[in-house]
Amino acid sequence: PFPANNNKKVYSYLRNRCISEEIIDYFVYNKWVYQNRYTDNVVFVSYKDDKPVFICEKGIIQEQRSCVPFAMK
């Protein structure tokens, strides 16, 4: 999924789950988490050798979840 221009809703969602802003900043900086441009869902990314290999998208407005292997094309 394409990243949004900002991660405001992801920050709000994760802060409401008692995750410190310092931790969220660290994950955003390392591109391990971001906000989906079209759905505003939070996207978690797993890397191997600096390449994304797996993503998991969690709905932050409604309960929705999908996890898929990531393939570069």
Side-chain angles (χ1 to χ4, degrees), residues 31-71:
K31 299 180 182 178
W32 295 336
V33 67
Y34 66 89
Q35 184 174 314
N36 182 315
R37 179 184 301 171
Y38 302 108
T39 63
D40 292 332
N41 292 340
V42 60
V43 178
F44 299 94
V45 185
S46 294
Y47 291 87
K48 183 175 182 176
D49 300 324
D50 295 328
K51 293 182 182 178
V53 292
F54 187 81
I55 61 168
C56 189
E57 186 170 350
K58 170 72 172 81
I60 59 177
I61 296 173
Q62 59 186 2
E63 284 300 315
Q64 173 188 2
R65 187 175 294 174
S66 70
C67 298
V68 294
F70 186 85

Side-chain angles (χ1 to χ4, degrees), residues 3-51:
N5 293 329
N6 63 59
N7 292 297
K8 289 181 182 179
K9 291 182 181 176
V10 167
Y11 272 82
S12 176
Y13 174 79
L14 295 174
R15 278 195 306 261
N16 284 334
R17 272 132 190 89
C18 299
I19 299 174
S20 74
E21 195 154 331
E22 181 179 310
I23 298 296
I24 301 167
D25 286 340
Y26 184 77
F27 274 69
V28 168
Y29 176 80
N30 286 290
K31 299 180 182 178
W32 295 336
V33 67
Y34 66 89
Q35 184 174 314
N36 182 315
R37 179 184 301 171
Y38 302 108
T39 63
D40 292 332
N41 292 340
V42 60
V43 178
F44 299 94
V45 185
S46 294
Y47 291 87
K48 183 175 182 176
D49 300 324
D50 295 328
K51 293 182 182 178

